[in-house]
Amino acid sequence: MNVLVAVTEAAVPDDEFEINGTEIDEQYLTYELNEWDEYALEEAAGLAEAHDNVEITTVTVGPERAEETIRKGLAKGADRAVRVWDDELAAVDLLAPATKARLLAGVAAQEEPELILAGAQSSDDSFGATGVALAAQLGYEWAAVINQLELDNDRGVATVHRELEGGVEELTEVELPAVATIQTGINEPRYASLRGIRQAQRKPLDVHTPADLGVESVASPLSLSELVEPESESNVSLFEGGAERTAGELAGVLREKGVEA
Amino acid sequence: MSADVLAVAEHRRGDLRDVSLELLTAGRELADETGGDLHAAVISGDVEAFGDRLNREGVDAVHTVAHGEEFNHDVYAQAVTTLIDEFDPAYVLAPNSVNGFDYVPAVADRLSIPLVTDVTDLAVDGSELTATREFHGGKTEGTVEIAGDRAALTIRAGGWPAASGNGDATVEPFEVEIDESAVRSTVTGFEEVGGGDVDITDADVLVSIGRGIREEDNLDLIFDLADAMDATVSASQPIIDNGWLPADHQVGQSGKVVTPEVYIAIGISGAVQHVAGMKGAETIVAINDDPSAPIFDIADYGIVDDLFEVVPALTEEFAG
Ligand SMILES: Cc1cc2nc3c(=O)[nH]c(=O)nc-3n(C[C@H](O)[C@H](O)[C@H](O)COP(=O)(O)OP(=O)(O)OC[C@H]3O[C@@H](n4cnc5c(N)ncnc54)[C@H](O)[C@@H]3O)c2cc1C
Ligand SMILES: Nc1ncnc2c1ncn2[C@@H]1O[C@H](COP(=O)(O)O)[C@@H](O)[C@H]1O
């Protein structure tokens, strides 16, 4: 069984940063394996341990820089990786979920996975949409924001729990093949072992252009006309000074509010 | 150009969710800008009762689609696609909720219309729509230009006030021939997340801890503080995900909504899903070493410093 995991690299700004045009200045960004995708990867690795003949492929739409992150995925148990990129993509300032889904679908069409895992959201763009858009592209069934997944290959279904609002979970059965978007907490992501990290260097990482995948246009219907640090409507009173002083002042306010042992 | 707006309501287990009425306000504003009509739709469940509740001031038509009881994404995707085919709205609005995540991208994809999620503001200039939304976990805010004259938009809860007043819309059933062979998912039930012995919704003072605590062993610092203040400990989702506290201690969208007199957020960034659960607290205190953390936007009092310095000092204040 082929399992495809969509893995993205999330841009994380420093505590203090500057914006140039519609982008955060590169020097203030670090790139990390998207938190939700760590859980998706772990879920795939768990399936590979529980079932025979599971092959895990990761797919990433991203620049060469992303290969470091992609290798992390390989170190955590993926067998192969595919990266999609070209200059035209690099020029797009905001990749719409549908555009990404079209590219991911191009890769899925080659791999024909029984199951595709994506994160419930990326921590930078946070569209929360790419996984379900991918399912729609492929005509696969899907389930969004899941925190439990069981495969029943004999019946050709996946049983999932969807994490709804207010501490309620929805229990759902979806037919395979399917896309599941993974919520944090579904498992405990492993740390990559030294052996895993070494092996990852030798695992295949193929690079395709959109054209290779038969995707002719990567034009995105969305673009960013402005990016700002949100104007704070905050009325916060900040206590300043060393910890003893700030803690003392805060304690004074809290006591006024009736907090006491 | 006049362009119509369709707002698709959300309900669960017999209740219309509040954001459904907020959608109507966002929808009306948008329709005013385009000179179009506002249609509302509700699918599955007690659609007649829901339809009447959606008949608020400014709504021009309410379409009720009777089919089953609860949300099913395959049914919703088909029904909304059919509604769009029939009424030809330029803009489709739905809540940015877990169920919104589960069908709106599919509708947008099937109809090839651009999708923008988690929208906090909308503006129309001529025929061009722009949507405001957060990026980078709330550290930046972007204005997204949407090409073409159509869009699907999911709306952040709490971003618009609920629509009020009685409307004079026509509330009419809309027949959708659901293709059952394309319904390949079944909702089999619901489960409440496990109850423990602490009810954080009951507490007057909550000391709430987030990922800034770094390691499970460090939680002792927080328990000491809570003891000294006679407070209850709660947490953000990563702490629950790590299994460091039971699930019923989670504050936020998928956890509990709390309204204590004092909420002390320690090492919590203030992601929208967390804030959804605690913004109603009377007094909010934030302790975080990142001055740009969004939690400071809603805090009344704050300390920008290392929690490992501040928390022991604060414990000392109350214990000493
Ligand atoms: C569908 C969905 C539902 C969700 N539901 C919930 C929910 O119910 N509740 C919830 O909480 N989240 C929920 N989330 C997750 C949410 O998006 C955030 O990921 C989460 O709230 C982040 O938790 P955090 O603030 O503890 O961690 P982070 O965002 O990692 O923040 C940690 C903070 O600690 C600060 N910090 C680090 N070290 C120190 C130090 N030494 N001293 C002081 N400060 C320090 C950092 O500056 C940072 O601001 C949900 C997400 C999704 C997609
Ligand atoms: N550039 C990308 N390459 C591969 N997968 C992606 C990419 N962007 C998003 N995804 C997948 O889609 C999920 C949700 O992203 P988003 O819709 O941006 O919130 C992520 O967790 C990934 O699994």
Side-chain angles (χ1 to χ4, degrees):
Chain A
M1 180 176 76
N2 286 344
V3 176
L4 192 64
V5 185
V7 170
T8 187
E9 183 176 64
V12 182
D14 293 344
D15 287 358
E16 317 259 0
F17 59 88
E18 276 169 40
I19 294 171
N20 250 332
T22 57
E23 282 175 15
I24 294 179
D25 219 41
E26 197 64 32
Q27 59 174 305
Y28 302 107
L29 292 177
T30 42
Y31 293 92
E32 291 174 3
L33 176 56
N34 180 40
E35 185 182 353
W36 281 265
D37 302 352
E38 293 223 25
Y39 287 89
L41 272 167
E42 178 59 41
E43 200 58 20
L47 286 171
E49 283 162 1
H51 300 265
D52 293 334
N53 303 320
V54 171
E55 197 187 46
I56 305 170
T57 306
T58 66
V59 54
T60 302
V61 178
E64 196 175 348
R65 181 199 61 225
E67 293 197 356
E68 206 180 308
T69 299
I70 294 171
R71 293 276 174 209
K72 279 185 197 145
L74 292 170
K76 285 168 187 266
D79 299 295
R80 324 169 18 237
V82 177
R83 180 172 71 84
V84 182
W85 202 242
D86 71 353
D87 291 344
E88 205 187 327
L89 272 172
V92 177
D93 73 352
L94 181 59
L95 275 174
T99 309
K100 288 190 279 194
R102 213 170 325 130
L103 296 165
L104 298 174
V107 174
Q110 297 180 344
E111 308 287 332
E112 299 188 353
E114 189 75 352
L115 183 68
I116 302 179
L117 302 180
Q121 65 170 32
S122 57
S123 68
D124 48 5
D125 287 351
S126 302
F127 281 115
T130 305
V132 174
L134 171 60
Q137 278 279 312
L138 292 167
Y140 277 29
E141 191 45 37
W142 71 88
V145 191
I146 71 161
N147 60 12
Q148 195 174 314
L149 168 70
E150 265 159 49
L151 278 189
D152 185 341
N153 279 321
D154 297 338
R155 286 170 56 228
V157 299
T159 307
V160 303
H161 286 208
R162 296 182 54 233
E163 184 185 287
L164 303 181
E165 292 83 1
V168 176
E169 294 182 358
E170 179 200 276
L171 283 51
T172 304
E173 270 188 14
V174 298
E175 288 177 20
L176 297 171
V179 178
T181 81
I182 304 294
Q183 171 65 324
T184 58
I186 187 172
N187 53 40
E188 276 181 58
R190 69 193 64 191
Y191 291 99
S193 65
L194 275 178
R195 189 160 152 264
I197 293 169
R198 235 177 303 129
Q199 283 175 339
Q201 297 307 321
R202 290 193 300 271
K203 289 181 178 171
L205 194 170
D206 297 330
V207 183
H208 294 305
T209 64
D212 294 342
L213 303 169
V215 176
E216 272 161 28
S217 162
V218 297
S220 176
L222 309 182
S223 58
L224 267 182
S225 61
E226 203 181 13
L227 189 75
V228 296
E229 287 196 57
E231 264 177 56
S232 172
E233 293 155 20
S234 140
N235 292 314
V236 66
S237 314
L238 293 179
F239 301 112
E240 285 169 27
E244 241 153 75
R245 172 153 171 214
T246 56
E249 288 177 359
L250 174 59
V253 169
L254 291 175
R255 278 196 202 96
E256 267 171 46
K257 310 257 170 214
V259 178
E260 59 196 329
Chain B
M1 181 203 76
S2 88
D4 294 345
V5 177
L6 172 68
V8 185
E10 180 165 319
H11 59 86
R12 188 197 304 159
R13 300 163 99 189
D15 290 324
L16 199 65
R17 302 194 63 231
D18 294 345
V19 61
S20 301
L21 299 178
E22 298 165 16
L23 274 185
L24 299 178
T25 306
R28 185 65 254 167
E29 278 179 14
L30 193 53
D32 283 344
E33 288 196 55
T34 63
D37 285 344
L38 172 61
H39 296 246
V42 60
I43 301 156
S44 306
D46 187 354
V47 289
E48 266 178 52
F50 295 148
D52 284 338
R53 285 202 55 208
L54 292 170
N55 188 1
R56 297 285 165 114
E57 219 171 291
V59 179
D60 297 298
V62 180
H63 310 291
T64 61
V65 181
H67 191 282
E69 279 307 307
E70 293 292 343
F71 173 81
N72 171 294
H73 65 230
D74 295 310
V75 171
Y76 265 57
Q78 283 189 43
V80 175
T81 308
T82 312
L83 283 159
I84 295 172
D85 281 344
E86 174 72 19
F87 298 104
D88 201 30
Y91 304 124
V92 182
L93 265 49
N96 191 64
S97 60
V98 173
N99 283 347
F101 287 146
D102 201 36
Y103 81 93
V104 181
V107 171
D109 194 85
R110 285 179 195 174
L111 298 173
S112 296
I113 48 182
L115 165 66
V116 182
T117 59
D118 204 12
V119 171
T120 56
D121 201 8
L122 289 165
V124 185
D125 183 9
S127 71
E128 185 167 90
L129 178 68
T130 59
T132 305
R133 70 190 299 282
E134 288 179 349
F135 292 88
H136 305 103
K139 291 197 150 194
T140 65
E141 184 179 80
T143 308
V144 179
E145 285 181 9
I146 305 168
D149 45 18
R150 288 175 169 258
L153 307 154
T154 69
I155 299 296
R156 174 171 289 191
W160 280 264
S164 56
N166 288 328
D168 50 13
T170 51
V171 181
E172 276 177 5
F174 179 73
E175 291 294 330
V176 178
E177 198 82 46
I178 297 290
D179 172 5
E180 296 290 344
S181 72
V183 177
R184 290 175 289 154
S185 65
T186 318
V187 177
T188 57
F190 295 93
E191 224 170 76
E192 314 279 336
V193 173
D197 49 1
V198 183
D199 187 357
I200 60 169
T201 63
D202 244 7
D204 292 332
V205 182
L206 281 171
V207 171
S208 207
I209 187 63
R211 182 148 42 202
I213 196 71
R214 287 205 288 256
E215 284 173 27
E216 186 171 14
D217 288 345
N218 297 338
L219 276 178
D220 283 346
L221 282 178
I222 302 304
F223 287 116
D224 289 348
L225 176 63
D227 275 350
M229 296 202 316
D230 196 18
T232 304
V233 174
S234 58
S236 65
Q237 176 146 333
I239 303 299
I240 310 301
D241 287 346
N242 290 343
W244 297 350
L245 285 173
D248 58 352
H249 287 55
Q250 180 174 328
V251 173
Q253 174 187 302
S254 26
K256 298 240 160 86
V257 176
V258 296
T259 51
E261 276 156 38
V262 177
Y263 187 88
I264 308 178
I266 305 175
I268 292 177
S269 61
V272 58
Q273 297 94 348
H274 185 80
V275 169
M278 44 67 74
K279 60 172 185 271
E282 202 138 314
T283 300
I284 297 171
V285 178
I287 301 171
N288 194 308
D289 62 5
D290 174 5
S292 68
I295 192 76
F296 288 116
D297 293 344
I298 59 151
D300 302 293
Y301 299 94
I303 298 177
V304 181
D305 202 349
D306 185 356
L307 74 90
F308 294 101
E309 303 276 333
V310 176
V311 170
L314 195 57
T315 307
E316 192 71 18
E317 285 288 334
F318 283 93

Coordinates of all heavy atoms in Angstrom, one line a residue, chain A residues 15 35-36 120-121 145 163-165 183-184, chain B residues 97-98 101 139 209-214 235-239 241 250-256 266-275 277 287-291 293-295 303 305-309, ligand 1:
Chain A
D15 N 11.0 36.6 17.1 CA 10.2 37.5 17.9 C 10.1 38.9 17.4 O 9.0 39.5 17.4 CB 10.8 37.5 19.4 CG 10.6 36.2 20.1 OD1 9.9 35.3 19.5 OD2 11.0 36.1 21.2
E35 N 4.4 21.7 12.0 CA 4.0 20.9 13.2 C 3.0 19.9 12.8 O 3.1 18.7 13.2 CB 3.5 21.9 14.2 CG 3.2 21.2 15.5 CD 2.6 22.2 16.6 OE1 2.5 23.4 16.3 OE2 2.2 21.7 17.6
W36 N 2.0 20.2 12.1 CA 0.9 19.3 11.8 C 1.4 18.1 10.9 O 1.0 17.0 11.0 CB -0.3 20.0 11.2 CG -1.1 20.7 12.2 CD1 -2.2 20.2 12.8 CD2 -0.9 22.0 12.8 NE1 -2.7 21.1 13.7 CE2 -1.9 22.2 13.7 CE3 0.1 23.0 12.6 CZ2 -2.0 23.4 14.5 CZ3 0.0 24.1 13.4 CH2 -1.0 24.3 14.3
A120 N -3.6 19.3 9.2 CA -4.9 20.0 9.2 C -4.6 21.5 8.8 O -5.5 22.1 8.2 CB -5.4 20.0 10.7
Q121 N -3.4 22.0 9.1 CA -3.1 23.3 8.6 C -1.6 23.5 8.6 O -0.8 22.8 9.2 CB -3.8 24.4 9.4 CG -3.2 24.5 10.9 CD -3.7 25.7 11.6 OE1 -4.8 26.2 11.4 NE2 -2.9 26.2 12.5
V145 N -9.3 17.3 9.8 CA -9.0 17.5 11.2 C -9.3 16.3 12.1 O -10.2 16.2 12.9 CB -9.8 18.7 11.8 CG1 -9.3 19.1 13.2 CG2 -9.7 19.9 10.9
E163 N -11.9 16.1 15.2 CA -11.9 16.9 16.4 C -12.7 18.2 16.1 O -12.3 19.1 15.5 CB -10.5 17.3 16.8 CG -10.4 18.1 18.0 CD -8.9 18.6 18.3 OE1 -8.1 17.8 18.7 OE2 -8.7 19.8 18.1
L164 N -14.0 18.2 16.6 CA -14.9 19.3 16.4 C -14.6 20.4 17.5 O -13.8 20.2 18.3 CB -16.3 18.9 16.4 CG -16.7 17.8 15.3 CD1 -18.2 17.5 15.5 CD2 -16.4 18.3 13.9
E165 N -15.4 21.4 17.5 CA -15.3 22.4 18.5 C -15.9 21.9 19.8 O -16.8 21.1 19.8 CB -16.0 23.7 18.1 CG -15.3 24.5 16.9 CD -15.7 23.9 15.5 OE1 -16.5 23.0 15.5 OE2 -15.2 24.4 14.5
Q183 N -4.7 16.3 12.8 CA -4.6 17.2 13.9 C -3.5 16.8 14.8 O -3.2 15.6 15.0 CB -6.0 17.3 14.6 CG -6.0 18.1 15.8 CD -5.8 19.6 15.6 OE1 -5.0 20.0 14.8 NE2 -6.5 20.4 16.4
T184 N -2.9 17.8 15.5 CA -1.9 17.5 16.5 C -2.5 16.6 17.6 O -3.7 16.7 17.8 CB -1.3 18.8 17.1 OG1 -2.4 19.5 17.7 CG2 -0.7 19.7 16.1
Chain B
S97 N -14.7 26.8 10.4 CA -14.9 25.9 11.5 C -14.4 24.6 11.0 O -14.0 24.4 9.8 CB -16.4 25.7 11.8 OG -17.0 25.2 10.6
V98 N -14.3 23.6 11.9 CA -13.8 22.3 11.5 C -14.7 21.7 10.4 O -14.2 21.0 9.5 CB -13.7 21.4 12.8 CG1 -13.4 19.9 12.4 CG2 -12.7 21.9 13.7
F101 N -13.8 23.5 7.2 CA -12.6 22.9 6.6 C -12.9 21.6 5.8 O -12.2 21.2 4.9 CB -11.6 22.4 7.7 CG -10.9 23.5 8.4 CD1 -10.6 23.4 9.8 CD2 -10.5 24.7 7.8 CE1 -9.9 24.4 10.5 CE2 -9.8 25.6 8.4 CZ -9.5 25.5 9.8
K139 N 1.0 36.7 13.7 CA 2.1 37.7 13.8 C 2.0 38.7 12.7 O 2.6 39.8 12.8 CB 3.4 37.1 13.9 CG 3.6 36.3 15.2 CD 5.0 36.0 15.4 CE 5.3 36.0 16.9 NZ 6.8 36.0 17.1
I209 N -1.0 27.1 31.1 CA 0.4 26.9 30.7 C 0.4 26.4 29.2 O -0.4 25.7 28.8 CB 1.1 25.9 31.6 CG1 2.6 25.9 31.3 CG2 0.5 24.6 31.6 CD1 3.3 27.2 31.4
G210 N 1.4 26.9 28.5 CA 1.6 26.6 27.1 C 3.0 26.0 26.8 O 3.7 25.7 27.7
R211 N 3.3 25.9 25.6 CA 4.5 25.2 25.1 C 5.8 25.9 25.7 O 6.8 25.3 25.7 CB 4.5 25.2 23.6 CG 5.7 24.5 23.0 CD 5.5 23.8 21.7 NE 4.7 24.6 20.8 CZ 3.9 24.1 19.8 NH1 4.0 22.8 19.6 NH2 3.2 24.8 19.1
G212 N 5.7 27.2 26.1 CA 6.8 27.8 26.7 C 7.4 27.1 27.9 O 8.6 27.3 28.2
I213 N 6.7 26.2 28.5 CA 7.2 25.4 29.6 C 8.2 24.4 29.2 O 9.0 23.9 30.1 CB 6.0 24.8 30.4 CG1 6.4 24.3 31.8 CG2 5.4 23.6 29.7 CD1 6.7 25.5 32.8
R214 N 8.2 24.1 28.0 CA 9.3 23.2 27.4 C 9.3 21.7 27.8 O 9.3 20.8 26.9 CB 10.7 23.8 27.6 CG 10.9 25.0 26.7 CD 12.4 25.2 26.5 NE 13.1 25.6 27.7 CZ 13.5 26.8 27.9 NH1 13.4 27.7 27.0 NH2 14.1 27.2 29.0
A235 N -4.5 24.5 30.3 CA -3.4 24.5 29.4 C -3.8 24.7 27.9 O -5.0 24.6 27.6 CB -2.6 23.1 29.5
S236 N -2.8 25.0 27.1 CA -3.1 25.1 25.6 C -2.9 23.7 25.1 O -2.5 22.7 25.7 CB -2.1 26.0 25.0 OG -0.8 25.5 25.1
Q237 N -3.3 23.5 23.8 CA -3.4 22.2 23.2 C -2.1 21.4 23.2 O -2.1 20.2 23.4 CB -4.0 22.3 21.8 CG -3.9 21.0 21.0 CD -5.1 20.9 20.1 OE1 -6.2 21.4 20.3 NE2 -5.0 20.1 19.1
P238 N -0.9 22.1 22.9 CA 0.3 21.2 22.8 C 0.6 20.5 24.1 O 1.2 19.4 24.1 CB 1.4 22.3 22.6 CG 0.7 23.4 21.9 CD -0.7 23.5 22.5
I239 N 0.2 21.1 25.3 CA 0.5 20.4 26.6 C -0.4 19.2 26.7 O 0.0 18.1 27.2 CB 0.1 21.4 27.7 CG1 0.9 22.7 27.6 CG2 0.3 20.8 29.1 CD1 2.4 22.5 27.7
D241 N -1.6 17.6 24.0 CA -1.1 16.6 22.9 C 0.0 15.8 23.5 O 0.2 14.6 23.1 CB -0.6 17.4 21.7 CG -1.8 18.0 20.9 OD1 -2.9 17.6 21.1 OD2 -1.5 18.9 20.1
Q250 N -7.9 21.3 28.7 CA -7.6 22.1 27.5 C -8.5 23.3 27.3 O -9.7 23.1 27.3 CB -7.6 21.3 26.2 CG -7.3 22.1 25.0 CD -7.1 21.2 23.7 OE1 -6.7 20.1 23.8 NE2 -7.5 21.8 22.6
V251 N -7.9 24.5 27.2 CA -8.7 25.7 26.9 C -8.7 26.0 25.4 O -7.6 25.9 24.8 CB -8.1 26.9 27.6 CG1 -8.8 28.2 27.2 CG2 -8.2 26.7 29.1
G252 N -9.8 26.3 24.8 CA -9.8 26.7 23.4 C -10.9 26.1 22.6 O -11.8 25.5 23.1
Q253 N -10.7 26.4 21.3 CA -11.7 25.9 20.3 C -12.1 24.5 20.5 O -13.3 24.1 20.5 CB -11.2 26.2 18.9 CG -12.1 25.7 17.8 CD -11.4 25.8 16.5 OE1 -11.0 26.9 16.1 NE2 -11.3 24.7 15.8
S254 N -11.1 23.6 20.5 CA -11.5 22.2 20.6 C -11.5 21.7 22.1 O -11.7 20.5 22.3 CB -10.6 21.3 19.8 OG -9.3 21.9 19.5
G255 N -11.2 22.6 23.0 CA -11.3 22.2 24.4 C -12.5 23.0 25.1 O -13.6 23.0 24.5
K256 N -12.2 23.6 26.2 CA -13.3 24.2 26.9 C -13.3 25.7 26.7 O -12.2 26.3 26.5 CB -13.1 23.9 28.4 CG -13.2 22.4 28.7 CD -14.3 22.1 29.7 CE -14.8 20.7 29.7 NZ -14.0 19.8 30.5
I266 N 0.6 31.6 30.6 CA 2.0 31.6 30.8 C 2.7 30.8 29.6 O 2.3 29.6 29.5 CB 2.4 30.9 32.1 CG1 1.7 31.7 33.2 CG2 3.9 30.9 32.3 CD1 1.8 31.1 34.6
G267 N 3.5 31.4 28.8 CA 4.1 30.7 27.7 C 3.1 30.2 26.7 O 3.3 29.1 26.1
I268 N 2.1 31.0 26.5 CA 1.1 30.7 25.5 C 1.1 31.8 24.5 O 1.1 33.0 24.9 CB -0.3 30.6 26.2 CG1 -0.4 29.4 27.1 CG2 -1.4 30.6 25.2 CD1 -1.7 29.2 27.9
S269 N 1.1 31.5 23.2 CA 1.3 32.6 22.2 C 0.0 33.3 21.9 O 0.1 34.5 21.5 CB 1.8 32.0 20.9 OG 0.9 31.0 20.4
G270 N -1.1 32.7 22.1 CA -2.4 33.3 21.9 C -2.9 33.1 20.5 O -3.5 34.0 19.8
A271 N -2.8 31.9 20.0 CA -3.3 31.5 18.7 C -4.9 31.6 18.8 O -5.5 31.5 19.8 CB -3.0 30.0 18.4
V272 N -5.5 31.9 17.6 CA -6.9 32.2 17.6 C -7.7 31.1 18.2 O -8.7 31.3 18.9 CB -7.3 32.5 16.1 CG1 -7.0 31.4 15.2 CG2 -8.8 32.8 16.1
Q273 N -7.3 29.8 18.0 CA -8.0 28.7 18.5 C -7.9 28.6 20.1 O -8.8 28.1 20.7 CB -7.6 27.4 17.9 CG -7.8 27.2 16.5 CD -6.5 27.6 15.7 OE1 -5.6 28.2 16.2 NE2 -6.5 27.3 14.4
H274 N -6.9 29.2 20.6 CA -6.7 29.2 22.1 C -7.6 30.4 22.6 O -8.4 30.2 23.5 CB -5.3 29.4 22.5 CG -5.1 29.3 24.0 ND1 -5.1 28.1 24.7 CD2 -5.1 30.3 24.9 CE1 -5.0 28.4 26.0 NE2 -5.0 29.7 26.1
V275 N -7.5 31.5 22.0 CA -8.2 32.7 22.4 C -9.7 32.5 22.4 O -10.4 33.0 23.3 CB -7.8 33.9 21.5 CG1 -8.7 35.1 21.8 CG2 -6.3 34.3 21.8
G277 N -11.2 30.2 23.5 CA -11.7 29.6 24.7 C -11.5 30.4 25.9 O -12.0 30.1 27.0
I287 N 2.2 36.2 30.5 CA 3.6 36.1 30.8 C 4.3 35.4 29.6 O 4.0 34.2 29.4 CB 3.9 35.4 32.1 CG1 3.2 36.1 33.3 CG2 5.4 35.4 32.4 CD1 3.2 35.4 34.6
N288 N 5.0 36.2 28.8 CA 5.6 35.6 27.6 C 6.8 36.4 27.2 O 6.8 37.7 27.4 CB 4.5 35.7 26.5 CG 4.9 34.9 25.3 OD1 6.0 35.0 24.8 ND2 4.0 34.1 24.8
D289 N 7.9 35.8 26.8 CA 9.1 36.5 26.5 C 9.1 37.1 25.1 O 10.1 37.8 24.7 CB 10.4 35.7 26.8 CG 10.4 34.4 25.9 OD1 9.6 34.2 25.1 OD2 11.4 33.6 26.2
D290 N 8.1 36.9 24.3 CA 8.0 37.4 23.0 C 7.0 38.6 23.0 O 5.8 38.4 23.1 CB 7.6 36.3 22.0 CG 7.3 36.9 20.6 OD1 7.6 38.1 20.4 OD2 6.8 36.1 19.8
P291 N 7.6 39.8 22.9 CA 6.7 41.0 22.9 C 5.6 41.0 21.8 O 4.6 41.7 21.9 CB 7.6 42.2 22.8 CG 8.9 41.7 22.2 CD 9.0 40.2 22.6
A293 N 4.0 38.4 20.7 CA 3.0 37.3 20.8 C 1.6 37.9 20.8 O 1.3 38.8 21.6 CB 3.3 36.5 22.1
P294 N 0.7 37.3 20.0 CA -0.7 37.9 19.9 C -1.4 37.9 21.2 O -2.4 38.6 21.4 CB -1.3 36.9 18.9 CG -0.2 36.2 18.1 CD 1.0 36.2 19.0
I295 N -1.0 37.1 22.2 CA -1.7 37.0 23.5 C -1.7 38.4 24.1 O -2.7 38.8 24.8 CB -1.1 36.0 24.5 CG1 -1.9 35.8 25.7 CG2 0.4 36.4 24.9 CD1 -3.1 34.9 25.5
I303 N 3.6 40.7 31.3 CA 5.1 40.8 31.6 C 5.8 40.1 30.5 O 5.6 39.0 30.1 CB 5.4 40.0 33.0 CG1 4.6 40.7 34.1 CG2 6.9 40.0 33.2 CD1 4.8 40.0 35.5
D305 N 8.8 38.6 29.7 CA 10.0 38.1 30.3 C 10.0 36.6 30.3 O 9.0 36.0 30.0 CB 10.1 38.7 31.8 CG 11.5 38.7 32.3 OD1 12.4 38.1 31.7 OD2 11.7 39.2 33.5
D306 N 11.1 36.1 30.8 CA 11.3 34.6 30.8 C 10.4 34.1 31.9 O 10.5 34.5 33.1 CB 12.8 34.3 31.1 CG 13.1 32.8 31.1 OD1 12.1 32.0 31.0 OD2 14.2 32.5 31.3
L307 N 9.5 33.1 31.6 CA 8.6 32.6 32.6 C 9.4 31.9 33.7 O 8.9 31.8 34.9 CB 7.6 31.6 31.9 CG 8.0 30.2 31.5 CD1 7.8 29.2 32.6 CD2 7.1 29.8 30.3
F308 N 10.5 31.4 33.4 CA 11.3 30.6 34.4 C 11.9 31.6 35.5 O 12.3 31.2 36.5 CB 12.4 29.8 33.8 CG 11.9 28.7 32.9 CD1 11.8 28.8 31.5 CD2 11.3 27.6 33.5 CE1 11.3 27.8 30.7 CE2 10.8 26.6 32.7 CZ 10.7 26.7 31.3
E309 N 11.9 32.9 35.1 CA 12.2 33.9 36.1 C 11.0 34.4 36.9 O 11.0 34.5 38.1 CB 12.9 35.1 35.5 CG 14.1 34.8 34.6 CD 15.3 34.8 35.5 OE1 15.4 35.5 36.6 OE2 16.3 34.1 35.1
Ligands
LIG1 C1 -8.6 22.8 14.4 C2 -7.7 23.3 15.4 C3 -8.1 23.4 16.7 C4 -7.3 23.9 17.7 N1 -7.8 23.9 19.0 C5 -7.0 24.4 20.0 C6 -7.5 24.6 21.4 O1 -8.6 24.2 21.7 N2 -6.7 25.1 22.3 C7 -5.4 25.5 22.0 O2 -4.7 26.0 22.9 N3 -4.9 25.4 20.7 C8 -5.7 24.8 19.8 N4 -5.2 24.7 18.5 C9 -3.7 24.9 18.3 C10 -3.3 26.4 18.1 O3 -3.4 26.6 16.7 C11 -1.9 26.6 18.5 O4 -1.0 25.7 17.8 C12 -1.7 26.4 20.0 O5 -2.7 27.1 20.8 C13 -0.3 26.9 20.4 O6 -0.1 26.6 21.8 P1 1.0 27.4 22.7 O7 0.6 28.9 22.7 O8 1.1 26.8 24.0 O9 2.3 27.2 21.9 P2 3.2 28.2 20.9 O10 2.3 28.8 19.9 O11 4.3 27.4 20.5 O12 3.6 29.3 21.9 C14 4.5 29.2 23.0 C15 4.8 30.6 23.5 O13 5.6 30.5 24.6 C16 6.5 31.6 24.6 N5 7.7 31.2 25.4 C17 8.7 30.3 25.0 N6 9.6 30.2 25.9 C18 9.3 31.0 26.9 C19 9.8 31.4 28.2 N7 11.0 30.8 28.6 N8 9.2 32.4 28.9 C20 8.1 33.0 28.5 N9 7.5 32.6 27.3 C21 8.1 31.7 26.6 C22 6.8 31.8 23.2 O14 7.2 33.2 23.0 C23 5.4 31.5 22.5 O15 4.6 32.7 22.4 C24 -6.0 24.2 17.4 C25 -5.5 24.2 16.1 C26 -6.4 23.7 15.1 C27 -5.9 23.7 13.7

